[in-house]
Amino acid sequence: MEKQLNQIQIDAEKDIKESNSLDQLLEVEKKYLGKKGSLKAILSQIKDLSIEEKKAFGKLSNQIKVVLNELIFKQKKLIEEQEIQEQLKNEFLDVTLPAIQTQKGSTHVLKQVQKKLEEIFISLGFEVVDGPEVESEKYNFEDLNIPQSHPARDMYDTFFIDQKTEKYNRLLLRTHTSPVQIRHMLKQGAPIKVLVPGRVFRYEEADATHEHTFMQYEGLYIDKDISLSHLKGYIEEIFGQFFGSKIEVRFRPGYFPFTEPSLEFEISCPFCKNGCKVCKQTKYIELGGCGMVHPNVLKAAGIDPEKYQGFAFGGGLDRLAMLVTQNNDLRLFRQNDLRFLKQF
Ligand code: PHE
């Protein structure tokens, strides 16, 4: 019997050492030390032995058990260690490989131009305000001194909305940012010093310089004793800062029902001295419309024109962006072609 036991030990040690996975090791453990294992099987024969023999036999089998358990424990550690090494080898991470490039977003060029304008206006004491893009006929036209049958409505090809309100007449997509003049006067009363940047809409055939949707900006300054010379000074300062060079302002007669007198304003070309492609050799660049706010407009918004005067001026933000980027096709700003947009 002793021989048998020793043989079990020899076999078990060999099997343990040859195990190279945890599953295999578990099987070996079961085979020799489990409930139905060979050690247990031998012990069942113990009842036929003398007490002395039983003692010796029991002791020996316990010793074998201890030795085998220890071996199993060691083998288990060894296998685990090997598995970790294996994993490290297979999951090798090369930290020197170049990273996967991610695309970095940036502010749209029209927004950049808007931000720049806003910063300049704010530095001169203006507040930035906005109004709704769906506007009433009353604020977009009537209160701006453009009544129903006025021929000036032809200047603004309008998208009307199939809806009427009792108080404000038809609804439409605003054709300019000027209705915010009325909104702000009604809301705040005089004095007022605001910049209104915003999206506007006109029913126009799209070409390189026209789009049905575009951006405008508009400055409005109402206070006591405001005159055209203030307007000229502000335009000079604002666009001088915007283009980063000293510029000269030139007025030409213009016509807007909501200003009197009405003017078109031009600035000396910030890109040349003697004529270039941008100013088409004229040395001046047309920027927008302006004038002194018409007394009828002030009255419509509840401001006494005898007490307060003001100027308003406005133009296309897209046009400014075209000048800054030296791009002469307005449509590119909204085609979402990253090859174009990424340049700015
Ligand atoms: N609202 C005018 C337009 O869209 C521009 C303008 C603004 C003119 C303010 C005068 C004063 O054409």
Side-chain angles (χ1 to χ4, degrees):
M1 216 177 234
E2 200 183 316
K3 246 193 191 163
Q4 264 179 305
L5 267 178
N6 286 335
Q7 192 54 49
I8 287 177
Q9 183 173 4
I10 291 164
D11 291 346
E13 282 180 5
K14 185 168 169 269
D15 280 358
I16 290 169
K17 285 205 177 110
E18 282 174 2
S19 300
N20 44 30
S21 78
L22 291 176
D23 284 346
Q24 213 179 335
L25 190 63
L26 205 70
E27 281 306 312
V28 173
E29 189 178 3
K30 243 161 92 182
K31 181 175 166 194
Y32 294 99
L33 303 171
K35 271 187 198 153
K36 291 179 185 159
S38 31
L39 217 52
K40 269 265 155 56
I42 282 214
L43 283 174
S44 63
Q45 299 168 21
I46 207 169
K47 53 185 186 315
D48 306 326
L49 301 176
S50 68
I51 292 186
E52 289 297 294
E53 279 174 325
K54 267 186 191 164
K55 261 191 185 167
F57 190 73
K59 202 176 160 193
L60 184 60
S61 76
N62 264 338
Q63 277 169 354
I64 291 173
K65 224 187 199 167
V66 171
V67 170
L68 291 184
N69 269 328
E70 207 164 299
L71 270 180
I72 288 170
F73 181 77
K74 278 188 185 150
Q75 188 67 11
K76 199 172 159 198
K77 282 260 161 280
L78 199 76
I79 292 170
E80 279 171 354
E81 182 64 25
Q82 271 168 1
E83 279 182 358
I84 288 171
Q85 289 305 333
E86 194 77 9
Q87 205 179 358
L88 280 177
K89 215 162 70 191
N90 291 337
E91 291 177 9
F92 172 68
L93 185 71
D94 186 351
V95 290
T96 65
L97 277 176
I100 297 165
Q101 294 290 323
T102 50
Q103 295 233 2
K104 209 169 135 203
S106 62
T107 311
H108 192 283
V109 59
L110 288 173
K111 266 280 171 269
Q112 288 179 36
V113 169
Q114 182 180 337
K115 270 253 135 35
K116 193 169 172 183
L117 262 191
E118 286 178 4
E119 273 162 24
I120 296 168
F121 273 80
I122 288 169
S123 76
L124 296 172
F126 286 78
E127 190 192 339
V128 181
V129 297
D130 192 15
E133 289 170 2
V134 175
E135 187 50 278
S136 68
E137 197 169 10
K138 182 170 157 60
Y139 290 163
N140 195 85
F141 291 126
E142 273 131 54
D143 287 358
L144 287 170
N145 204 29
I146 319 176
Q148 197 56 261
S149 56
H150 199 290
R153 287 216 183 183
D154 290 349
M155 296 199 304
Y156 304 98
D157 295 306
T158 313
F159 287 111
F160 282 98
I161 286 174
D162 237 0
Q163 212 176 7
K164 240 182 165 163
T165 63
E166 219 157 83
K167 232 166 116 191
Y168 303 103
N169 217 346
R170 284 181 289 179
L171 291 180
L172 45 79
L173 297 184
R174 65 176 179 192
T175 59
H176 51 174
T177 42
S178 300
V180 187
Q181 287 190 23
I182 302 291
R183 287 183 172 274
H184 207 70
M185 286 184 212
L186 286 172
K187 189 172 153 205
Q188 189 181 299
I192 288 176
K193 201 175 179 186
V194 292
L195 163 70
V196 189
R199 197 176 285 123
V200 302
F201 312 85
R202 287 191 201 170
Y203 182 57
E204 256 169 339
E205 192 93 53
D207 63 27
T209 51
H210 296 89
E211 269 271 51
H212 52 70
T213 301
F214 55 101
M215 294 286 291
Q216 280 192 338
Y217 61 91
E218 175 148 348
L220 173 70
Y221 189 5
I222 293 173
D223 209 333
K224 289 177 176 156
D225 302 322
I226 297 288
S227 71
L228 266 186
S229 52
H230 290 112
L231 171 61
K232 194 160 185 251
Y234 270 104
I235 293 180
E236 208 173 273
E237 179 60 30
I238 287 162
F239 292 103
Q241 279 195 38
F242 184 83
F243 288 107
S245 62
K246 201 165 160 36
I247 51 124
E248 205 186 289
V249 179
R250 193 162 84 168
F251 284 149
R252 281 192 293 117
Y255 178 69
F256 302 100
F258 38 94
T259 43
E260 177 61 37
S262 297
L263 305 157
E264 306 275 350
F265 66 96
E266 297 178 348
I267 59 165
S268 54
C269 183
F271 306 110
C272 72
K273 278 208 165 64
N274 300 312
C276 67
K277 236 169 72 186
V278 183
C279 64
K280 300 195 183 81
Q281 310 303 330
T282 63
K283 298 186 217 165
Y284 279 87
I285 292 177
E286 217 181 284
L287 276 193
C290 63
M292 298 304 291
V293 179
H294 196 291
N296 286 352
V297 174
L298 294 171
K299 271 191 239 162
I303 293 176
D304 183 356
E306 297 296 325
K307 272 201 200 142
Y308 289 99
Q309 303 81 46
F311 64 70
F313 67 104
L317 212 133
D318 298 59
R319 169 128 177 81
L320 288 180
M322 282 169 88
L323 290 170
V324 172
T325 58
Q326 309 260 320
N327 152 43
N328 47 24
D329 192 339
L330 173 87
R331 292 167 293 193
L332 284 169
F333 291 135
R334 287 184 185 75
Q335 279 168 355
N336 286 343
D337 187 338
L338 288 181
R339 289 170 305 178
F340 173 74
L341 294 172
K342 266 182 170 173
Q343 300 173 71
F344 316 110

